[in-house]
Amino acid sequence: MSNLVETVSRDILAALKNDQLTLPSLPEVALKVRDVAERDDATIANLTDVIAQDAALSARIIRVVNSPLLRAPQEVKDLPMAVSRLGMNYTSNLAIGLAMAQMFQATSDMIEQRMRALWQMTGQISSWATVLAGHSKLLAPDEAMLAGLIHRLGALPILAYAEERDDLIQDNISLGRVIDRLHGPLGSAILEKWEFPKKLAEVPRLYRKTDRNLEVPDFAGLITLANLIHNKDVNSGWGLKDWQAVPLFQVFELPTDKTDELYVELAERVALSNAALY
């Protein structure tokens, strides 16, 4: 088993180094949204026109605006109204994040199941990140949402690679170990290729480092906390971490007591976020 993990890891890293590894492309609608959002002269009408080309994405954005998460004072019935309420930055980050769902598809049944589970998990972490950002008021919730959705992006090229190898498809444990080992650097490589800002591109590479002691809160640290809090009752992995030994809780001014009532309150908001976004 370990030989397979070592061999596959070595092959993937060599392919990445030699620019031979197929990295996923940002969905076309997400590219168009980002291009518009980055223009100095862009208007809400410009952004609305781009998003309107994707009916499913438009419907999901309207649903988010009308959800209890955002508590719209009146029902939003169309996309221009939704974009006006959210604003350019929030809308563009939300649209890019939601558009990524189409990347989590495969031809193999086993890989397809892993893709779906991965999207569901990143959605849950994204919701926690959004809620924690809103509570702490230290980072923008829309960027926190996007950081959550991209933090395990590096698993995608590994799963695509696995579709070409029956030995890896049949060995679920080895595949999981390869993903754990490589998804961080691969994720950052993908985001750098997509020209994401550094504060987001570094998230996959850094978020599993629970001992980081920051002077200024960052999105990688927020995603670390989102994973810890989401998995606080799990008896493995993230759930076994000693919160007292994680300086990030102090950085974000959050309690280190897993039973603190704050987390019950925040979990209710996360449930609303999940229902709205995913």
Side-chain angles (χ1 to χ4, degrees):
M1 183 185 300
S2 60
N3 287 339
L4 179 60
V5 173
E6 293 297 333
T7 300
V8 170
S9 298
R10 187 169 56 248
D11 289 350
I12 290 176
L13 288 175
L16 177 66
K17 181 179 179 180
N18 297 321
D19 203 23
Q20 296 173 336
L21 183 67
T22 302
L23 299 178
S25 298
L26 193 62
E28 184 177 2
V29 65
L31 281 171
K32 291 179 177 178
V33 165
R34 188 173 68 176
D35 287 345
V36 170
E38 289 179 349
R39 278 173 32 204
D40 292 336
D41 62 344
T43 65
I44 284 178
N46 298 144
L47 186 58
T48 301
D49 288 343
V50 170
I51 296 172
Q53 297 171 24
D54 188 316
L57 181 59
S58 300
R60 293 180 76 183
I61 288 174
I62 292 172
R63 187 178 73 184
V64 170
V65 177
N66 284 319
S67 72
L69 181 67
L70 294 181
R71 298 182 177 87
Q74 63 185 57
E75 183 181 4
V76 174
K77 297 182 178 180
D78 56 41
L79 186 61
M81 215 174 147
V83 177
S84 294
R85 171 159 174 76
L86 291 175
M88 293 281 287
N89 287 341
Y90 200 117
T91 301
S92 60
N93 283 324
L94 177 63
I96 291 169
L98 293 177
M100 286 184 183
Q102 62 190 261
M103 295 165 48
F104 290 72
Q105 299 175 358
T107 54
S108 155
D109 287 343
M110 193 278 276
I111 299 299
E112 177 74 18
Q113 289 175 8
R114 270 193 171 264
M115 290 276 197
R116 283 200 301 268
L118 178 62
W119 177 247
Q120 183 180 26
M121 184 275 292
T122 54
Q124 291 169 340
I125 299 303
S126 176
S127 292
W128 268 109
T130 305
V131 168
L132 289 171
H135 169 76
S136 68
K137 296 180 172 55
L138 296 173
L139 296 171
D142 56 303
E143 291 182 294
M145 175 271 300
L146 190 53
L149 291 179
I150 61 174
H151 81 286
R152 288 183 68 92
L153 193 65
L156 291 183
I158 301 171
L159 291 170
Y161 174 92
E163 282 199 290
E164 307 299 323
R165 291 191 58 144
D166 288 340
D167 55 346
L168 203 52
I169 288 180
Q170 301 303 323
D171 191 341
N172 212 30
I173 294 176
S174 290
L175 178 55
R177 289 180 177 175
V178 172
I179 290 172
D180 283 345
R181 178 180 295 188
L182 299 183
H183 79 268
L186 285 178
S188 288
I190 293 168
L191 294 167
E192 287 165 4
K193 176 188 174 186
W194 291 353
E195 298 181 345
F196 268 55
K198 182 181 177 182
K199 62 185 176 182
L200 293 176
E202 67 184 8
V203 168
R205 182 173 53 85
L206 295 177
Y207 83 93
R208 289 194 295 177
K209 298 183 178 183
T210 58
D211 60 347
R212 297 170 67 227
N213 198 348
L214 307 176
E215 292 185 7
V216 178
D218 66 9
F219 288 101
L222 183 67
I223 300 306
T224 303
L225 292 175
N227 275 278
L228 286 167
I229 297 167
H230 174 66
N231 293 288
K232 67 184 180 66
D233 298 321
V234 177
N235 292 320
S236 62
W238 289 99
L240 299 179
K241 297 290 185 181
D242 177 9
W243 287 14
Q244 298 289 341
V246 180
L248 290 165
F249 281 96
Q250 281 70 48
V251 175
F252 284 85
E253 301 176 1
L254 291 168
T256 54
D257 179 0
K258 294 183 180 182
T259 63
D260 194 288
E261 289 186 4
L262 173 65
Y263 296 120
V264 176
E265 176 190 334
L266 295 182
E268 293 174 357
R269 298 187 204 171
V270 168
L272 292 175
S273 179
N274 280 332
L277 294 174
Y278 315 108

